[in-house]
Every structure is written in C-alpha cells, then in structure tokens.
Amino acid sequence: MATDTPASARLSPQSSASFTHLEDLLTQREQAGRYRRRLTLDSPQGPHVSLAGQAADAEARPLLNFTANDYLGLANHPALVEAGCRAAREFGVGSGSAHLVNGHQRAHHQLEARLAELTGRPRALLFSTGFMANLGVIDALASASREAGRSLEIFHDRLNHASLLDGARLASSGTTAVRSRRFHHRDLEDLERQLTRSRADDKLVISDGVFSMDGDCADIAGLSQACARHGAWLMIDDAHGLGVLGEHGEGLVGRATPLADVPVLVGTLGKALGSSGAFVAGSDALIESLIQLARPYIYTTAQPPHVAAATLAALEIVAREPQRREQLQARVQQFREGCTHLLAGSGLALGLSSTDREASSAALTPIQPLILGSEARALAWSAALRERGVLVSAIRPPTVPAGSSRLRFTFSAEHTAEDIAVLLDALEAVLAAEKAQPRSASPTISPEGVTP
Ligand SMILES: Cc1ncc(COP(=O)(O)O)c(C=O)c1O
C-alpha cells in the first residue's frame, strides 16, 4: 500500500481532525426524531402564511398558522409598519453602536419610559433580545454578589425557558460562590424546602410567568410570599403574558404587583407586541447595576431605532384596543371547548394535566399544548395537520422533557372563529386516522413535521 500519505491524514478520524463527530451527532438526532428543521416563510407573519420555494400545487396554498407568538396579530399591523418606516426614514436602519457608546436613540429612551409605565416599575432597560436580557440580568446579579464577597443561590422552576437556565449556568460556571438548583414545576413546597436549606447570602428565585411550552401560569403571589419569608428576590420572565394578560395588557405581573413582590421583571417585545427585543423592569438600583454589569447589554449594538418606534406603536394599540385581548381569549376558549369534546375518550387532553391546568390558569393563555408522548407521534401529527393545510409545531426534547413531545398550538387575535373550526376539523381527522391504524403501526417520522 502506498505510504506517501502524510502522517496527519493517516490517523484515525477521531484523533486526526477536529469535529468529525458532527456528522454522527446529526445522524443520531435524525434517528431519534429530534432533528430540527426550519421553514422558510414567504409571507408576513399572520394567521395565514405561505412557505417559500413551493411548486404551484396544493401545497402552495397558504397554511393556517398556529405556530407563531404573534398573539395580538401585530407583527404585520399597518400602524407598526408605518411607524417603523417613518422612523427608518428619520433615523436610518442601524443604531450604529452600543447603547453605552452612542447607539441609544430617542426612540429607545421613550420606549423604556413607556414600558416602565405599563408595568408599574420605576425604570425599564431595553435589550436586543429576550435571551440576552435573561443572560444579562442573571449574570449581572451574580457578578454583583461576587464583587460584594457574597454567595448566591439561584432557584429555578424546572420548566423555565432555556435562556433563564443558561443564564444561571453561565453565572455559576467557574465559581463556587454561585449555585443553581431547580424546584419541581410550580411546586411551592419544594421551593420552600430548598429555600429553608439554603445558606447563601443572596437568593434569587426565577420563574417563567406564562410557561412557554406548557401555557400554564406561575403562582406569582405564592412565589413572592415564599421569597419574602426567606429574604429572596423573585425574577419573573413574563415573555408570554405581556400584552395578553392583565386589564391593560401589562401581563401576569404588572401594576397590580408591587415592585417588592417581583423586584426583577423581564418582558419580551417579539411576541404579543409584534416587534423585537426585550426589557428588564425594576428599581433604579437594579437598572443602573445592569447598565454597569450586564455584558449582553454593554457589548452589543443597540436595537435598530425603527424597531423601537414600531414597538411604541404596538403599545398604543395594546392600550387602545382591549378587544384584541378579548378576541384572543374567545378563540382560545373556542379551541379548548372543541378539543375537550374531540379528545374525550381518546386518552389525550390539553395541557400538562387537567387538574394542574385548572389550578394554574388564572386566565386562558394563547399557548395550548397537546402532549403526545413520543417524538415520532408529535412529528407525525404535525405532518398530518400540515397536509390538511394547518401549521403547528412539534415540540420535542431537549426543548421539553423526554416522553412529553407535543403539539404546541398558539393563537392570535386575528384568527377567526372559522379558522378555529378548520383546525378542530383537521385535528378530528388526524385523530380518526391514527385510531384507524393497526395497533402495532408506529407513526412514521416525517421530515415535514414543523419543529422549533
Ligand atoms: C419565556 C421566554 N423567555 C425568553 C425568550 C427569548 O426571547 P427572545 O425571542 O426575544 O430572545 C422566550 C422565547 O423565545 C421565551 O419563551
């Protein structure tokens, strides 16, 4: 055999070249039904969407969309589009630098003031994304504790959003002064036990407001009472409550919840508000500390000013058109009632479990999960619904715990009663088709399942 191959190239793939394991990883993901694929939209976000690159056949018709977080139907609202265009003409499309250099524009400043007012907090600080806001605030609080020579323990609901969990991971890496632990989902007794055991100087309890994959709500009063008993701070990420819940769209936590009960409030602007970005609201001391310490705030280009201008227009609609929230609730109610009827006797139900759901849903939220169990089943249902013109995401591990793969239906104020009826008919057909399958037939994994 020829021996003129360089020694480096003759080594086994594992030892000679970096990252040869990527192909294996992708294959394993595919085989486990956990491969994620993107859709390419060729239309604005809305109750009906078109996908790019489809032939002029039946598939090319717009799909009825139950996958977006555009709960109030504002992502393509003319008032937001117009406000964004006007601001782009006046201020350009790029902010040009970080907030702390000279990228902080008038529109950002006005937006911060409006968000503070909406949530009843002294101050708000704008971040470019919700993911960055969560990383930023947790890391900044951890840095402050470390600088003061104090230990910090972070307590997470185990179903918190990935950005919150990653924030704690980042904050606790490479130090023993910061520890992070999880309590059972919405389990105040478990939290109480953990807080009682904690010897940390500073304690931070963190929870989603509306849980992003389950649609149930945190018990804000219960969490804040537990925090008060143990001298802990409570941080709530109200990404999916803002704009949707509360009398004025202020979210699950808002003016009615005093600052002392929820000292750290995060909201995102890319969901019900239809634009992009996020904010942290709280005391003057919190906001000034974030400006000094939050690296994802300090070391990044400020959000384009026209996006902030569009968000200001969204806030006006949130204040002026409470009927959007009512319309959304009516659609969610219609779906839940239809589903309850449809799923009776099927062994399936909406939400984590009906009792948990009743207990936790102070209000109907626009996130309604149907837990199906396996990855393959969730993908098969998503694909079958898509064949019937309905777009809904199959959510699988690691986004949700193993064995709880699901369809995550999300609703918009722009959905009509007819849209919901079409969805229920499609679901009924998919359920019937599955029932008609021989028992041994396991659902096939289709690459067309809509996945996050
Ligand atoms: C609860 C929660 N927090 C934070 C985020 C991240 O927000 P953003 O999309 O603005 O990064 C999301 C969703 O994406 C979320 O569901």
Side-chain angles (χ1 to χ4, degrees):
M1 192 194 249
T3 56
D4 56 353
T5 317
S8 59
R10 287 202 308 274
L11 292 172
S12 72
Q14 278 88 345
S15 56
S16 68
S18 299
F19 299 111
T20 51
H21 50 276
L22 289 184
E23 293 294 340
D24 291 345
L25 179 149
L26 294 175
T27 307
Q28 281 160 15
R29 283 226 161 191
E30 179 90 57
Q31 285 167 352
R34 294 184 179 183
Y35 202 94
R36 292 169 157 130
R37 289 184 167 81
R38 301 177 301 176
L39 294 174
T40 305
L41 243 59
D42 200 16
S43 68
Q45 193 58 266
H48 299 89
V49 291
S50 303
L51 302 184
Q54 288 181 329
D57 58 13
E59 266 282 275
R61 70 189 187 277
L63 296 166
L64 193 46
N65 180 19
F66 294 99
T67 58
N69 299 320
D70 180 26
Y71 305 128
L72 296 179
L74 299 183
N76 188 35
H77 190 288
L80 274 74
V81 174
E82 183 47 36
C85 289
R86 217 180 315 121
R89 278 192 290 273
E90 194 176 350
F91 294 104
V93 292
S95 60
S97 69
H99 284 280
L100 282 178
V101 182
N102 77 341
H104 188 66
Q105 298 257 10
R106 194 174 72 217
H108 299 135
H109 212 66
Q110 284 172 347
L111 179 55
E112 289 180 344
R114 285 284 295 110
L115 290 166
E117 193 189 332
L118 176 69
T119 55
R121 264 64 193 148
R123 298 268 305 269
L125 187 73
L126 199 56
F127 281 75
S128 295
T129 71
F131 208 107
M132 292 166 77
N134 283 334
L135 293 186
V137 71
I138 299 170
D139 196 44
L141 289 173
S143 298
S145 292
R146 278 202 313 269
E147 269 188 40
R150 293 166 66 85
S151 58
L152 165 66
E153 201 155 350
I154 300 170
F155 304 86
H156 269 291
D157 186 294
R158 64 183 290 271
L159 296 188
N160 275 352
H161 188 259
S163 55
L164 295 168
L165 300 173
D166 283 4
R169 218 159 45 149
L170 183 68
S172 56
S173 75
T175 173
T176 52
V178 181
R179 301 189 58 178
S180 169
R181 46 180 83 251
R182 298 186 191 189
F183 56 93
H184 296 308
H185 179 49
R186 298 189 69 257
D187 187 337
L188 291 175
E189 282 177 21
D190 191 28
L191 172 63
E192 186 79 39
R193 263 192 303 275
Q194 296 194 21
L195 284 168
T196 304
R197 274 202 302 266
S198 173
R199 294 286 164 264
D201 302 312
D202 294 321
K203 304 180 186 78
L204 179 65
V205 174
I206 306 181
S207 177
D208 278 19
V210 175
F211 285 85
S212 58
M213 295 299 135
D214 297 284
D216 55 345
C217 297
D219 175 357
I220 302 296
L223 287 169
S224 70
Q225 283 157 16
C227 286
R229 277 192 291 279
H230 295 276
W233 262 23
L234 177 58
M235 169 176 172
I236 296 291
D237 175 354
D238 206 11
H240 298 274
L242 190 80
V244 168
L245 301 178
E247 200 187 336
H248 307 280
E250 67 271 31
L252 189 65
V253 175
R255 288 178 244 188
T257 310
L259 179 68
D261 288 3
V262 181
V264 187
L265 174 60
V266 174
T268 64
L269 309 172
K271 302 185 192 323
L273 295 186
S275 61
S276 190
F279 66 94
V280 178
S283 66
D284 197 45
L286 173 72
I287 299 304
E288 285 301 318
S289 301
L290 294 180
I291 293 172
Q292 310 311 314
L293 298 171
R295 295 166 66 88
Y297 178 78
I298 299 166
Y299 299 107
T300 196
T301 300
Q303 174 186 78
H306 65 279
V307 176
T311 312
L312 280 164
L315 288 174
E316 278 177 32
I317 295 175
V318 166
R320 215 177 45 226
E321 300 184 15
Q323 65 272 25
R324 283 183 181 269
R325 289 188 284 286
E326 289 156 18
Q327 173 94 343
L328 175 62
Q329 294 253 328
R331 295 296 163 254
V332 174
Q333 182 92 44
Q334 182 190 349
F335 174 72
R336 284 188 60 79
E337 283 170 11
C339 255
T340 306
H341 179 68
L342 198 77
L343 299 174
S346 69
L348 295 170
L350 287 175
L352 285 174
S353 76
S354 50
T355 43
D356 185 73
R357 186 81 204 191
E358 293 323 318
S360 65
S361 291
L364 294 174
T365 74
I367 302 168
Q368 300 288 325
L370 176 60
I371 298 180
L372 294 168
S374 72
E375 290 88 340
R377 193 179 186 197
L379 282 171
W381 278 54
S382 174
L385 285 167
R386 182 154 153 201
E387 274 168 25
R388 289 170 170 80
V390 171
L391 198 60
V392 60
S393 303
I395 310 282
R396 296 151 297 150
T399 303
V400 292
S404 73
S405 291
R406 65 196 66 186
L407 296 180
R408 175 181 182 262
F409 298 94
T410 49
F411 295 88
S412 158
E414 294 283 326
H415 281 128
T416 62
E418 174 61 22
D419 291 338
I420 307 300
V422 170
L423 167 62
L424 289 168
D425 283 350
L427 265 176
E428 188 170 18
V430 172
L431 187 62
E434 192 189 61
K435 259 195 211 149
Q437 268 183 11
R439 270 192 168 274
S440 58
S442 55
T444 46
I445 298 174
S446 160
E448 296 306 318
V450 181
T451 69

